[in-house]
Amino acid sequence: MIKGVMKGLSWILLSLLAFVVCAYLLLLAANMRDSEPSASALQLQRFTEQRMQAATGNNAYAYVMGFAAASDIDPLHFGNDRIKVINQTFNTDGNVREADKTIYSPTPMFPAVFTQLATTCQFQNLTCQQQLIAEQDQLTSLLQQQDWLLARYQKLLAFNEWHENVPVSTQTPMPDYRLITKAQTLLMTHAWLLATQQDAIAVNRLLSADIHFWRKALADADTLLSKLVITGLIKNDLGWANLILQQLTPDNVAAATPQIWALPFNDEERAMLPALAGEWALFNNTIKHDLRSQQMDSSIANDLNIRLLKPLIQKQESANRYADLVLSINDTLQVTYEQLPAAIEHLNNLPPNKIAAGVPFKLYNPVGELMLAGNHVALGSYAAKVADLEGLRRMSVMLAEFRSRGLSASELQQHLSQSTLHNPYTDQPYLWDAVQQSVIFNGLNGSSYRFLYKQSSVL
């Protein structure tokens, strides 16, 4: 009886194995040829190649790539060296991260007080204000200790070119944006101290340089990560500026307010196509160059999985399909601010298999289909974060105007309804929280921003 059971199990296992082998052979037969590049893929390829070719040696992105170098090293030279090594290694299918480690050096320790300020002084304005006041006596000396980094950041703001001339890949090392954020904190702390001294012209110079540079970089960003990081830095800028202007007397507020605030974010700054094209390049390079890097280890089992799966990925067909998706998303986002909430909600509600534009399983390019579905990210929510900048700009202009007129917090609610500067999505006035003395902008995807409105501490 036991022999009979074992024999039956053996036949079942052999049948299953034969079925798997036959199914795999069928899949191999269906995946003998890849597609030709589509018009969408060629369009994005030309777009990304042109943007990479436009870069020169005097490039802010190269400076950012070298920003974390030691204080006695030129960041631009260091960043250009990193980019050269990255590009050479990537083009020869080498280990990009290991090659980068041969020239990269870690950053020095950073004072804890500025690390805390970088965290709290975005939209937690009351907490930030309290911390600034509590630390005011030591801020000047701490700034002097970090004068090299502040000077390095101010030199960055003098660049007028931003080109991300590195391959978009999961293996490509990124700049140390955390240090950039801390350096921005140094600049804003310096501006806050100047505002307490009523030096409106110096405050204007610092705030204007920061917002000018990052708005230009926002328009030129070539990857989704950079677009989002720069968006965050602009939000930091506007949140900090609200606190800084708070320290000025009404007569000084207008002189300290950057003129660029009067300019709405334009189509080039809002544009998502460069970042979406970067996402396409990332997907494309992942399936062409980085598939092995997706494995957690180099065990025999994983290596076997790679060998079995590779023939079932049609690289060009997958790139074509993702190119269609990217251009479709970009078309959906080409609407006014009032129409944008509905467009983004539409994108966010698309199920993954709908985005993959196919059934859950297909004989042709089955692994590519799964990667397309699994690669679904909330691209609509990222566009919303960028679009929210216009609402913050309008709110910043409005509050600067109120401060220059010397309006008290108790007078604010009435003037909010009378202002011509409204929420860009609803065309409704900004909200007022009398308890927390804050003006509220409700952005897209549940984002809510608060700017503290309080009479100047010098009044």
Side-chain angles (χ1 to χ4, degrees):
M1 182 176 176
I2 293 177
K3 288 183 178 180
V5 172
M6 294 300 294
K7 186 176 181 181
L9 289 174
S10 298
W11 276 108
I12 292 173
L13 291 175
L14 287 173
S15 299
L16 289 174
L17 179 61
F19 174 79
V20 170
V21 171
C22 290
Y24 183 73
L25 292 175
L26 177 63
L27 288 172
L28 286 179
N31 287 273
M32 295 297 293
R33 292 185 60 184
D34 202 350
S35 301
E36 295 295 321
S38 67
S40 297
L42 290 173
Q43 177 182 342
L44 291 179
Q45 182 177 344
R46 287 192 297 269
F47 185 83
T48 54
E49 287 176 351
Q50 288 170 359
R51 293 179 74 87
M52 282 193 68
Q53 291 170 358
T56 69
N58 192 34
N59 177 10
Y61 187 76
Y63 191 90
V64 167
M65 284 292 286
F67 195 83
S71 58
D72 59 342
I73 296 177
D74 176 22
L76 183 60
H77 180 76
F78 183 68
N80 278 319
D81 281 349
R82 287 189 72 194
I83 289 172
K84 183 178 179 180
V85 168
I86 289 168
N87 287 333
Q88 289 177 342
T89 309
F90 182 84
N91 291 330
T92 56
D93 292 326
N95 190 319
V96 177
R97 292 190 184 277
E98 289 301 320
D100 182 62
K101 287 178 182 178
T102 63
I103 63 170
Y104 187 72
S105 59
T107 61
M109 295 297 293
F110 198 77
V113 62
F114 290 119
T115 302
Q116 294 168 0
L117 287 173
T119 302
T120 60
C121 293
Q122 297 177 35
F123 299 103
Q124 302 297 321
N125 289 333
L126 184 57
T127 303
C128 173
Q129 185 184 63
Q130 292 170 343
Q131 186 176 348
L132 284 167
I133 294 171
E135 305 286 354
Q136 185 171 356
D137 291 341
Q138 64 169 321
L139 288 178
T140 300
S141 61
L142 287 173
L143 280 171
Q144 290 173 348
Q145 295 171 19
Q146 298 295 317
D147 59 351
W148 70 272
L149 186 57
L150 178 57
R152 177 172 287 186
Y153 182 73
Q154 289 179 290
K155 188 174 180 180
L156 169 64
L157 301 183
F159 282 83
N160 56 18
E161 177 185 337
W162 177 286
H163 291 291
E164 298 175 46
N165 51 338
V166 292
V168 182
S169 163
T170 59
Q171 292 297 293
T172 302
M174 301 304 297
D176 189 346
Y177 284 120
R178 292 172 299 179
L179 187 61
I180 296 286
T181 301
K182 292 175 181 178
Q184 184 189 49
T185 302
L186 295 178
L187 183 86
M188 293 301 171
T189 303
H190 183 35
W192 186 86
L193 289 170
L194 291 169
T196 63
Q197 300 165 20
Q198 301 305 302
D199 193 344
I201 301 302
V203 169
N204 181 291
R205 184 173 62 251
L206 295 180
L207 294 182
S208 295
D210 198 70
I211 192 70
H212 266 284
F213 175 79
W214 290 118
R215 283 185 67 162
K216 178 67 169 62
L218 181 71
D220 293 339
D222 294 321
T223 62
L224 188 58
L225 175 62
S226 292
K227 192 81 171 182
L228 294 178
V229 169
I230 294 168
T231 296
L233 287 164
I234 294 174
K235 290 177 180 178
N236 289 348
D237 177 287
L238 295 173
W240 265 101
N242 177 63
L243 291 175
I244 291 165
L245 296 184
Q246 204 173 109
Q247 303 306 309
L248 296 165
T249 61
D251 291 342
N252 284 327
V253 170
T257 302
Q259 291 184 345
I260 194 175
W261 282 12
L263 301 178
F265 282 88
N266 59 39
D267 291 342
E268 188 179 7
E269 291 166 330
R270 285 182 55 198
M272 292 300 295
L273 181 57
L276 292 173
E279 282 299 291
W280 174 81
L282 174 62
F283 178 82
N284 204 18
N285 285 331
T286 298
I287 60 177
K288 288 184 178 180
H289 298 283
D290 301 342
L291 185 60
R292 183 176 297 275
S293 70
Q294 306 305 308
Q295 300 301 310
M296 296 302 293
D297 57 65
S298 57
S299 65
I300 295 176
N302 280 328
D303 189 61
L304 180 61
N305 284 336
I306 289 291
R307 292 178 181 276
L308 291 174
L309 292 177
K310 270 190 173 181
L312 306 182
I313 301 175
Q314 300 301 323
K315 298 175 182 178
Q316 189 59 58
E317 171 67 13
S318 301
N320 292 347
R321 295 277 302 285
Y322 200 55
D324 291 338
L325 169 63
V326 161
L327 293 179
S328 174
I329 289 174
N330 186 63
D331 290 341
T332 302
L333 295 173
Q334 301 301 304
V335 295
T336 65
Y337 280 111
E338 292 80 6
Q339 297 168 323
L340 195 57
I344 289 177
E345 183 178 6
H346 168 72
L347 292 176
N348 289 345
N349 288 335
L350 287 176
N353 64 339
K354 179 66 175 179
I355 287 179
V359 295
F361 183 80
K362 295 172 66 175
L363 287 178
Y364 185 66
N365 192 29
V367 177
E369 290 291 332
L370 292 173
M371 291 181 69
L372 282 166
N375 200 57
H376 169 227
V377 293
L379 295 174
S381 66
Y382 299 146
K385 294 178 186 297
V386 177
D388 282 351
L389 291 175
E390 175 60 17
L392 293 172
R393 181 200 68 84
R394 296 183 187 186
M395 188 161 67
S396 297
V397 171
M398 180 186 66
L399 294 183
E401 179 189 347
F402 290 168
R403 287 198 171 93
S404 69
R405 292 161 56 186
L407 297 182
S408 66
S410 60
E411 298 174 299
L412 204 65
Q413 187 166 11
Q414 177 184 354
H415 287 83
L416 283 174
S417 60
Q418 295 174 351
S419 174
T420 59
L421 294 166
H422 293 164
N423 183 313
Y425 310 121
T426 64
D427 197 31
Q428 296 297 310
Y430 291 101
L431 305 177
W432 172 244
D433 184 337
V435 176
Q436 296 192 26
Q437 302 280 282
S438 298
V439 179
I440 303 172
F441 164 49
N442 289 324
L444 296 180
N445 287 339
S447 299
S448 184
Y449 309 93
R450 290 175 176 266
F451 277 3
L452 183 71
Y453 188 86
K454 190 176 180 181
Q455 284 182 297
S456 170
S457 60
V458 300
L459 294 181

